[in-house]
């Protein structure tokens, strides 16, 4: 974990990783696993949902810390608005929006936790070793 990077660079790196996930998972066969068989897909999809749940579990803290930083910066009167708005009023609007975003993420997190719980019991059908050797893995 490289903690020497600037927070905004970390946030954009996380966004880029999600972008890569979105592109990779366009092809359903990406979930077929190491041996390229559909039997691995239920576990692979469940793992992806579990990872997304973990992401949403961590985002509210990031938003809270961004909110605290914004509030501190405004208290130090270190904000200038390019559009002429009052910095205090603009900060209040931004803090409200961040709180709303945090609450929305927590709702989404609840739904992903439910999906992840259900999916944790999913798996592909068992394949005998003989069937695996005969299987057409080039899907």
């Amino acid at each position: 974990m490289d903690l020497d990077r600037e927070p905004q660079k970390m946030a954009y790196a996380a966004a880029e990783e999600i972008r890569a996930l979105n592109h990779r998972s366009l092809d359903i066969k990406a979930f077929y696993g190491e041996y390229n068989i559909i039997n691995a897909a239920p576990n692979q999809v469940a793992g992806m949902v579990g990872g997304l749940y973990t992401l949403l579990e961590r985002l509210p803290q990031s938003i809270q810390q961004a909110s605290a930083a914004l509030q501190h910066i405004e208290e130090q009167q270190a904000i200038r608005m390019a559009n002429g708005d009052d910095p205090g009023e603009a900060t209040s609007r931004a803090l409200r929006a961040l709180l709303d975003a945090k609450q929305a993420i927590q709702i989404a997190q609840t739904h992903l936790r439910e999906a992840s719980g259900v999916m944790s019991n999913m798996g592909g059908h068992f394949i005998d070793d003989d069937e695996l050797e005969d299987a057409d893995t080039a899907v």
Side-chain angles (χ1 to χ4, degrees), residues 35 37 127-137:
Y35 298 106
I37 55 174
I127 299 179
D128 292 335
D129 289 339
D130 294 337
E131 289 180 46
L132 185 58
E133 289 175 9
D134 296 336
D136 181 13
T137 58

Side-chain angles (χ1 to χ4, degrees), residues 20-34 36-37 40-41 44-45 48:
L21 171 65
N22 290 344
H23 282 278
R24 178 69 175 118
S25 60
L26 278 171
D27 181 3
I28 300 302
K29 293 176 185 169
F31 296 101
Y32 283 19
E34 180 180 357
N36 198 30
I37 55 174
Q44 294 283 331
V45 175
M48 178 179 163

Side-chain angles (χ1 to χ4, degrees), residues 45-46 48-57 59 104-120:
V45 175
M48 178 179 163
V49 171
L52 292 172
Y53 167 73
T54 300
L55 172 67
L56 289 189
E57 188 176 52
L59 280 178
I105 289 168
Q106 289 170 324
I107 291 168
Q109 178 190 0
T110 299
H111 294 295
L112 276 179
R113 181 175 49 238
E114 180 181 351
S116 184
V118 172
M119 295 173 75
S120 69

Side-chain angles (χ1 to χ4, degrees), residues 57-104:
E57 188 176 52
R58 294 175 179 164
L59 280 178
Q61 180 180 355
S62 299
I63 292 172
Q64 182 62 42
Q65 290 167 194
S67 296
L70 178 61
Q71 189 169 7
H72 171 78
I73 294 165
E74 197 275 329
E75 287 169 357
Q76 300 303 309
Q77 299 180 351
I79 298 174
R80 174 191 59 82
M81 299 296 296
N83 62 359
D85 285 355
D86 176 75
E89 291 175 16
T91 299
S92 292
R93 285 194 316 269
L95 289 171
R96 179 72 236 175
L98 289 169
L99 179 61
D100 291 345
K102 180 181 169 185
Q103 291 171 342

